[in-house]
Amino acid sequence: MFHFEVFCHCLPKLWLLAILCLALTALHSHAQCGQPDGRVGDAVLPSTAVEEYEEGSQVTYVCSTGYKKSSGSSTITCTNKEWTTLTLKCEKKSCDPPEDVPHGRWNIPDGIKFGATITFHCEEGYIFPGKISYQNCLADGWSGGVFSCEAVKCDLPADIENGRYTPNSDKDYFEYQETITYTCNKDYNLIGDSVIRCSKNGTFIPSPPSCKKVNCPLQEISNGRRIGGGPPPYSLRSFIEFECHNGYTMVGPAKIICEVNGWSSTSPVCKKIDPPAPSPTTATTSPSITKTTTTSTTTTTAVRGGASCTGSLCIGVFKAFVERVLVALLIPLSLHLSL
């Protein structure tokens, strides 16, 4: 049975429910796009609680930490239930070039943009006193730190007997590449290098020298004389130069030098030059004649089988031999022609 009074009493509530349903339906019909991607390339969308967006809604992206905008638009729009394409392009931020450090250098393998790491090194002979020898390029610049190079230090060198070094200051050490110079007392000779240097390893090179008295004995030679070098005494690096008298030749070095352990060589020897040997006599052979001729000045002998002869007499013997040969040849020839 229909109760009109009950219906009239509930009617306002039904109208309210209907309006609420219509409102929700209208609201739902305008929510066209879902939540956009939170990250696109190097761009990110700031956090938002909105899950659905009406037609024409816009959202704005920003570049990721350490990146900056290089081109394009930062916003996208809800159009026909889809978001437009984001054209924003981001690039890495760049840190400033690292500061120059005396006697130091930076190793920069991958540039100086966001995320890059550079390392610090000191030149030869210098050391880095810190603990962290690198920097990272962050969003707001380098990670920081104190970078410096300190020279290698050498302890004071050793003293030497009968000598000294300069400069002899009051400082407790010498630094890399600093030098000291040694000198010896009077009548002493310096053995080694007079100048030594503080090296990259924290030691002096070469080793300190020594001071020593050096005296070489007088040297003389027979059949020769001294032509160079001073008179005795002979100290380190003194020298004597010799030459031999006429008729003698030198065996050994002409110059000797006084060294730490004595003369550089024994003294040379002057050896007498032997007279030249006589040249051999020219021989003429006659195969068949034996003749002896004596004069007041020259004696010439021609012996069968190979005797020697000299002077005009030898020419006469040779001439007689030639005549005999010609006669022996001409007689048979004349007989042949007469026939």
Side-chain angles (χ1 to χ4, degrees), residues 63-182:
C63 291
S64 302
T65 301
Y67 289 77
K68 63 181 181 179
K69 180 180 178 180
S70 62
S71 63
S73 173
S74 302
T75 62
I76 57 175
T77 304
C78 179
T79 303
N80 296 326
K81 299 182 181 180
E82 292 184 353
W83 291 106
T84 57
T85 302
L86 180 67
T87 59
L88 174 65
K89 300 297 182 184
C90 300
E91 64 180 8
K92 289 182 177 182
K93 292 181 179 179
S94 180
C95 289
D96 295 330
E99 295 183 359
D100 292 333
V101 178
H103 305 293
R105 61 182 177 84
W106 290 98
N107 183 26
I108 308 175
D110 301 315
I112 55 174
K113 292 189 175 183
F114 175 73
T117 299
I118 59 176
T119 54
F120 182 73
H121 303 274
C122 290
E123 296 175 355
E124 183 177 88
Y126 294 83
I127 57 174
F128 174 59
K131 295 182 179 180
I132 300 177
S133 60
Y134 64 88
Q135 287 194 96
N136 295 319
C137 181
L138 306 179
D140 54 353
W142 294 109
S143 55
V146 178
F147 296 89
S148 62
C149 292
E150 296 180 355
V152 171
K153 297 178 176 60
C154 293
D155 294 333
L156 297 179
D159 292 324
I160 59 174
E161 293 184 3
N162 304 307
R164 61 191 179 278
Y165 66 81
T166 55
N168 193 355
S169 60
D170 295 332
K171 61 182 183 180
D172 298 328
Y173 57 85
F174 286 87
E175 293 186 349
Y176 175 65
Q177 294 289 52
E178 288 187 322
T179 61
I180 61 174
T181 302
Y182 282 91

Side-chain angles (χ1 to χ4, degrees), residues 262-283:
W263 290 107
S264 59
S265 174
T266 57
S267 298
V269 175
C270 291
K271 184 179 180 182
K272 188 174 180 62
I273 300 174
D274 295 330
S279 58
T281 303
T282 304

Side-chain angles (χ1 to χ4, degrees), residues 2-311:
F2 179 74
H3 297 283
F4 183 76
E5 292 180 356
V6 175
F7 174 78
C8 290
H9 179 72
C10 294
L11 184 60
K13 294 181 180 180
L14 293 174
W15 276 106
L16 182 60
L17 181 60
I19 293 172
L20 181 59
C21 290
L22 290 174
L24 291 174
T25 301
L27 181 62
H28 181 73
S29 63
H30 287 84
Q32 299 295 325
C33 294
Q35 193 173 38
D37 294 333
R39 185 182 187 92
V40 179
D42 296 319
V44 294
L45 183 67
S47 59
T48 175
V50 179
E51 295 184 358
E52 294 182 339
Y53 294 82
E54 295 182 1
E55 178 77 8
S57 297
Q58 291 185 333
V59 294
T60 301
Y61 283 81
V62 295
C63 291
S64 302
T65 301
Y67 289 77
K68 63 181 181 179
K69 180 180 178 180
S70 62
S71 63
S73 173
S74 302
T75 62
I76 57 175
T77 304
C78 179
T79 303
N80 296 326
K81 299 182 181 180
E82 292 184 353
W83 291 106
T84 57
T85 302
L86 180 67
T87 59
L88 174 65
K89 300 297 182 184
C90 300
E91 64 180 8
K92 289 182 177 182
K93 292 181 179 179
S94 180
C95 289
D96 295 330
E99 295 183 359
D100 292 333
V101 178
H103 305 293
R105 61 182 177 84
W106 290 98
N107 183 26
I108 308 175
D110 301 315
I112 55 174
K113 292 189 175 183
F114 175 73
T117 299
I118 59 176
T119 54
F120 182 73
H121 303 274
C122 290
E123 296 175 355
E124 183 177 88
Y126 294 83
I127 57 174
F128 174 59
K131 295 182 179 180
I132 300 177
S133 60
Y134 64 88
Q135 287 194 96
N136 295 319
C137 181
L138 306 179
D140 54 353
W142 294 109
S143 55
V146 178
F147 296 89
S148 62
C149 292
E150 296 180 355
V152 171
K153 297 178 176 60
C154 293
D155 294 333
L156 297 179
D159 292 324
I160 59 174
E161 293 184 3
N162 304 307
R164 61 191 179 278
Y165 66 81
T166 55
N168 193 355
S169 60
D170 295 332
K171 61 182 183 180
D172 298 328
Y173 57 85
F174 286 87
E175 293 186 349
Y176 175 65
Q177 294 289 52
E178 288 187 322
T179 61
I180 61 174
T181 302
Y182 282 91
T183 55
C184 292
N185 298 338
K186 185 179 179 180
D187 298 330
Y188 284 84
N189 299 105
L190 189 140
I191 311 301
D193 293 288
S194 61
V195 178
I196 61 176
R197 186 183 308 274
C198 179
S199 72
K200 64 181 180 180
N201 299 322
T203 58
F204 278 98
I205 56 172
S207 300
S210 61
C211 293
K212 179 181 178 182
K213 284 186 176 181
V214 177
N215 290 300
C216 291
L218 175 64
Q219 298 290 301
E220 295 179 343
I221 61 172
S222 301
N223 304 310
R225 64 189 181 93
R226 175 171 56 86
I227 60 170
Y234 298 106
S235 59
L236 186 67
R237 288 181 287 277
S238 299
F239 73 93
I240 303 176
E241 189 171 3
F242 300 97
E243 74 171 2
C244 293
H245 297 327
N246 290 335
Y248 290 84
T249 184
M250 184 173 291
V251 178
K255 183 177 181 180
I256 59 176
I257 301 172
C258 182
E259 298 178 343
V260 175
N261 298 316
W263 290 107
S264 59
S265 174
T266 57
S267 298
V269 175
C270 291
K271 184 179 180 182
K272 188 174 180 62
I273 300 174
D274 295 330
S279 58
T281 303
T282 304
T284 302
T285 302
S286 177
S288 59
I289 300 174
T290 301
K291 181 178 180 181
T292 300
T293 304
T294 303
T295 67
S296 60
T297 58
T298 306
T299 300
T300 303
T301 304
V303 182
R304 183 185 302 271
S308 61
C309 65
T310 59

